[in-house]
Amino acid sequence: MAKWQYMTLIYGANSIKHGRRWAIVATDATSECKQVGQAEKGRFFGQIWQAMRLLETAIEELDAGGWELVSTSFSGTFGFYGTAVLRRPRTEVATNAKSQG
């Protein structure tokens, strides 16, 4: 059994409906990604600053579930995007499932 449970977040492109935001990667290609943290209108200047600030809001939200940041990466100039990997101990997941079920 794996010691950790992992989650991947993506920092998506600016859209009129959602804006710049971090979202949990869906488990399959047909599902929608779930937004975590805040979203706001994208900016060209200060893209990295905006991405990191919005990542803080996402991590604050996920911290309540025991998630911790493992790594993050950004790329692109005009098509700016990012990824972040979070983890939490697998035993915590089993404990939560037993207490809820």
Side-chain angles (χ1 to χ4, degrees), residues 3 5 63-67 88-97:
K3 182 178 176 182
Q5 178 183 12
D63 184 49
W67 294 99
R88 68 178 172 187
R90 174 102 28 212
T91 56
E92 184 176 313
V93 175
T95 305
N96 286 341

Side-chain angles (χ1 to χ4, degrees), residues 60-73:
E60 285 176 3
E61 187 176 311
L62 294 170
D63 184 49
W67 294 99
E68 62 183 30
L69 182 65
V70 175
S71 70
T72 186
S73 175

Side-chain angles (χ1 to χ4, degrees), residues 20-22 35-40 53-54 57-58 61:
R20 287 285 191 173
R21 65 194 178 116
W22 284 93
Q35 178 181 326
V36 289
Q38 298 175 347
E40 60 186 39
R53 191 174 49 75
L54 292 174
T57 66
E61 187 176 311

Side-chain angles (χ1 to χ4, degrees), residues 8-91:
T8 304
L9 303 179
I10 56 172
Y11 183 69
N14 191 26
S15 70
I16 295 171
K17 183 178 179 184
H18 300 292
R20 287 285 191 173
R21 65 194 178 116
W22 284 93
I24 299 170
V25 173
T27 55
D28 58 62
T30 58
S31 299
E32 255 189 66
C33 296
K34 180 185 175 234
Q35 178 181 326
V36 289
Q38 298 175 347
E40 60 186 39
K41 182 180 176 187
R43 53 176 69 207
F44 181 75
F45 296 106
Q47 292 179 72
I48 294 173
W49 171 82
Q50 182 180 35
M52 294 306 291
R53 191 174 49 75
L54 292 174
L55 180 59
E56 285 180 2
T57 66
I59 291 172
E60 285 176 3
E61 187 176 311
L62 294 170
D63 184 49
W67 294 99
E68 62 183 30
L69 182 65
V70 175
S71 70
T72 186
S73 175
F74 298 97
S75 186
T77 301
F78 297 103
F80 187 73
Y81 65 93
T83 59
V85 177
L86 291 89
R87 72 178 183 184
R88 68 178 172 187
R90 174 102 28 212
T91 56

